[in-house]
Amino acid sequence: NSIRNITDAHKKGDGYLFSSKFRGKRGSRKDIQEFVLDKSGWEYSKDMKNAKKSTILTRKLENGEIVKEKVVVTWKQKYAIRESIRRDGAIDYVRNMRPSEMKRVLIGRNETKYYDVKVVDEKTGENINLSPHIHIDQELVDFDARSDGFNVITTSEIHMTDKEIIAAYGQLNRIEDCFKVTKTNLKARSVFVWTKEHIEAHFLTCFIALVIVKLLYYKLDSKYSIRRIIDALRSANVAYIAQGYYTNLTPEINIEILKELGLELETSILKTEQINKIMK
């Protein structure tokens, strides 16, 4: 979500929707921070554990153009509690550190076993052993505490409702899951071909496989994970008995898949003709 990427998206006529960093002094820009921390305009759920609000702001692009964008802020109590616990744990860890531990953090864990670090008094020239002291930045702690539980979503699609924007952002995990499935289960990476045509063919094959397995996933009402479906398809097998008859060794998931495709297996004993029909 850098200004260069956003400018490039506008040049190409593309939109964007992303989560903006809010926590810390170098988080969201000032107008977003002021909007988030403003206590007015919040819409709370009935149990008061969730809230949201939105506004239209402007952004200056890299080429100087001013564009409008919609900012939707959500707050969740459970996330606020989680972030508070994590911060308190990090602060307690630092407060309980011994000077030797602080030294390892400051100058590296491996190097400290080989030498002692000293500082020199500029007035007397005397060597003084380094005894570090870590100070808690209470101002930053207090600022972060005000940020607990907030998530900021920024989009160019100002016509979308708050509900549509939140729902669209909620699809991010599905997109990430697609990358995971493509890379891990469908072996998109590592790539062991090197010509442009072969690389494109490799990824095209992987993406077609992804579309097929995703369609099966939804046709099966999401009862089975992508990995289980792929493993089931790969393990489909039969064992030859005699005179054109085979024992069906296909996993139960495959039976359901074939049923969705209109190819039901009514028995555990198959004829060669039945297997050929399925293969076609």
Side-chain angles (χ1 to χ4, degrees):
N1 56 8
S2 68
I3 188 64
R4 177 172 294 179
N5 287 339
I6 294 172
T7 301
D8 188 57
H10 272 275
K11 285 181 180 178
K12 295 178 178 179
D14 294 332
Y16 55 83
L17 188 151
F18 54 77
S19 176
S20 299
K21 182 180 178 183
F22 178 70
R23 305 180 66 79
K25 294 179 179 179
R26 295 184 180 180
S28 297
R29 60 183 196 261
K30 187 176 180 181
D31 56 346
I32 292 180
Q33 289 186 2
E34 291 175 350
F35 174 68
V36 173
L37 297 177
D38 184 353
K39 295 182 179 180
S40 63
W42 288 98
E43 299 176 18
Y44 286 87
S45 59
K46 291 181 179 180
D47 57 8
M48 301 297 288
K49 293 182 178 180
N50 301 285
K52 72 173 181 68
K53 66 175 180 175
S54 64
T55 189
I56 303 294
L57 298 176
T58 58
R59 178 192 292 271
K60 186 176 182 179
L61 301 181
E62 200 172 40
N63 57 9
E65 183 182 355
I66 304 297
V67 296
K68 291 183 179 181
E69 57 187 15
K70 188 169 184 178
V71 176
V72 179
V73 185
T74 60
W75 175 85
K76 293 183 180 294
Q77 186 185 73
K78 64 178 182 179
Y79 292 155
I81 294 172
R82 182 187 65 183
E83 290 162 0
S84 176
I85 291 173
R86 285 180 177 176
R87 182 175 54 258
D88 290 344
I91 293 171
D92 288 341
Y93 172 75
V94 172
R95 283 176 174 162
N96 294 325
M97 287 177 69
R98 298 188 299 273
S100 59
E101 292 176 311
M102 294 180 184
K103 187 188 294 185
R104 286 199 298 273
V105 171
L106 290 172
I107 60 176
R109 295 178 181 275
N110 296 326
E111 292 82 356
T112 53
K113 65 181 180 180
Y114 296 117
Y115 58 82
D116 288 328
V117 179
K118 297 180 180 180
V119 295
V120 178
D121 189 320
E122 294 183 355
K123 293 182 179 180
T124 64
E126 179 186 3
N127 286 334
I128 306 170
N129 287 325
L130 175 63
S131 181
H133 172 72
I134 297 178
H135 172 70
I136 301 296
D137 187 343
Q138 192 59 46
E139 183 181 349
L140 181 57
V141 171
D142 293 340
F143 184 89
D144 271 3
R146 295 189 300 168
S147 310
D148 289 346
F150 292 125
N151 184 47
V152 180
I153 305 173
T154 305
T155 180
S156 58
E157 310 308 295
I158 59 177
H159 62 280
M160 292 175 66
T161 65
D162 294 358
K163 186 177 180 180
E164 289 172 335
I165 292 170
I166 294 170
Y169 183 73
Q171 301 297 313
L172 178 62
N173 65 325
R174 294 190 178 185
I175 297 171
E176 292 173 341
D177 182 61
C178 284
F179 281 112
K180 181 179 178 181
V181 169
T182 307
K183 180 180 178 181
T184 306
N185 301 112
L186 301 178
K187 309 296 183 184
R189 300 290 300 271
S190 302
V191 180
F192 297 103
V193 291
W194 52 91
T195 68
K196 182 177 183 294
E197 293 78 9
H198 286 163
I199 292 171
E200 290 179 350
H202 168 70
F203 281 107
L204 177 61
T205 303
C206 291
F207 292 140
I208 291 174
L210 176 66
V211 171
I212 293 172
V213 77
K214 279 287 187 179
L215 288 172
L216 290 174
Y217 174 77
Y218 290 117
K219 276 184 169 291
L220 295 170
D221 297 324
S222 308
K223 288 191 296 184
Y224 306 107
S225 68
I226 296 294
R227 180 169 184 172
R228 286 194 64 188
I229 294 173
I230 292 173
D231 289 344
L233 292 171
R234 285 174 174 166
S235 62
N237 203 356
V238 294
Y240 180 73
I241 302 175
Q243 298 179 348
Y245 286 90
Y246 296 81
T247 300
N248 182 15
L249 303 178
T250 302
E252 188 64 30
I253 300 177
N254 277 24
I255 305 297
E256 294 188 47
I257 292 173
L258 290 172
K259 185 176 180 180
E260 287 293 336
L261 299 176
L263 298 169
E264 296 188 40
L265 296 178
E266 298 178 355
T267 64
S268 59
I269 304 299
L270 300 174
K271 294 181 180 180
T272 304
E273 293 80 6
Q274 290 175 292
I275 296 175
N276 290 338
K277 181 181 177 181
I278 294 171
M279 293 296 291
K280 289 180 182 179

